[in-house]
Amino acid sequence: MSRAHRDYFNDLAAGWPEAAQNASKFLSWLRDFAVTPGDRILDVGAGKGILTLWLQTLASFSVQTIPVDLSERMLLLGKRSQPQALSTAVCSDIEHAAFHDNLFDKAICYSVFPHITHPVQAGRELYRLLKPGGRLLVLHSQCSRKLNLFHAQLADPVMYDTLMPAVDLQALFLRLGFIPVRVEENPQLYWVEVAKPLQTK
Ligand SMILES: C[S@@+](CC[C@H](N)C(=O)[O-])C[C@H]1O[C@@H](n2cnc3c(N)ncnc32)[C@H](O)[C@@H]1O
């Protein structure tokens, strides 16, 4: 686990946003990811629950969302303002998450992947946690080039955090056994979506 990252995000938690500024963008992303009633969804690096909140407040989606985050303070402060939405939150490093195998229909890593110290280990863990046929989405609202320039202006340890090009992350996931669904990268979007095969070895 990266203690430096946990401390960094704990320190940021008080000022971290709780609500999305661009609601329509979130809604269209969730529709494109085919979030369906009954889904059990892992919100990886949930922070104060921006994505979880959207997943749970959409009347048409009766989904179960499990927010997970390394920073206990993000989750604590998120729970204070949104106790219902974050009632299932778990404080854990996604590289070693204490969940059963084959538990989730979907996992979304929104604005978290570059901060994960060992992306291969996180990918293995996400593969384990998804049901056969389950989908993984790594999502950002900008391309890796813009995000990496932004991170470089920040403080240690986040200044060293880089997001690899979307095609490279997809290739990493395919080596772990996932199958490709969609990869797209442009200045406003980074989308890497893969699926765990229905038949696993
Ligand atoms: C940039 S913030 C994004 C938070 C949230 N997704 C949002 O958009 O508001 C990244 C979050 O990922 C969490 N995080 C970083 N590394 C993690 C890991 N290995 N496992 C779980 N969470 C992690 C951080 O604690 C932080 O809350």
Side-chain angles (χ1 to χ4, degrees):
M1 181 189 75
S2 165
R3 282 170 192 270
H5 280 87
R6 189 191 59 191
D7 294 348
Y8 180 90
F9 285 108
N10 274 341
D11 287 347
L12 280 190
W16 198 259
E18 281 156 17
Q21 298 191 334
N22 190 339
S24 61
K25 191 167 68 176
F26 267 79
L27 293 180
S28 85
W29 284 339
L30 297 179
R31 287 198 187 101
D32 288 352
F33 192 42
V35 169
T36 5
D39 275 351
R40 184 182 291 140
I41 304 176
L42 188 64
D43 177 4
V44 180
K48 286 159 97 173
I50 280 186
L51 191 66
T52 286
L53 212 55
W54 274 114
L55 286 163
Q56 295 188 352
T57 50
L58 286 175
S60 54
F61 296 159
S62 59
V63 298
Q64 186 191 358
T65 314
I66 311 293
V68 60
D69 202 287
L70 192 63
S71 157
E72 70 277 10
R73 202 159 161 72
M74 283 279 190
L75 295 178
L76 181 76
L77 297 181
K79 264 184 196 171
R80 274 194 200 151
S81 49
Q82 307 291 346
Q84 183 74 26
L86 275 94
S87 61
T88 54
V90 174
C91 187
S92 174
D93 185 340
I94 194 56
E95 291 182 29
H96 303 282
F99 297 110
H100 293 297
D101 296 357
N102 306 321
L103 194 60
F104 294 96
D105 300 284
K106 292 189 169 72
I108 308 181
C109 302
Y110 175 58
S111 291
V112 57
F113 218 79
H115 307 303
I116 294 173
T117 314
H118 303 106
V120 173
Q121 174 57 27
R124 280 201 193 104
E125 193 68 344
L126 288 160
Y127 186 94
R128 180 184 75 74
L129 297 174
L130 283 167
K131 295 176 184 176
R135 297 271 176 110
L136 166 63
L137 172 62
V138 175
L139 175 65
H140 292 266
S141 59
Q142 56 189 326
C143 62
S144 53
R145 192 186 63 82
K146 280 167 72 179
L147 187 68
N148 293 338
L149 286 172
F150 170 67
H151 282 161
Q153 301 164 16
L154 302 178
D156 194 3
V158 168
M159 64 190 297
Y160 304 112
D161 292 350
T162 52
L163 182 63
M164 63 184 89
V167 287
D168 293 350
L169 184 61
Q170 186 196 49
L172 182 157
F173 287 143
L174 301 194
R175 284 197 294 278
L176 299 178
F178 284 101
I179 53 177
V181 178
R182 175 182 165 196
V183 62
E184 189 173 338
E185 182 164 13
N186 63 52
Q188 284 79 40
L189 183 69
Y190 180 102
W191 185 288
V192 177
E193 181 179 351
V194 290
K196 181 168 171 175
L198 281 169
Q199 305 280 338
T200 56
K201 292 171 202 156

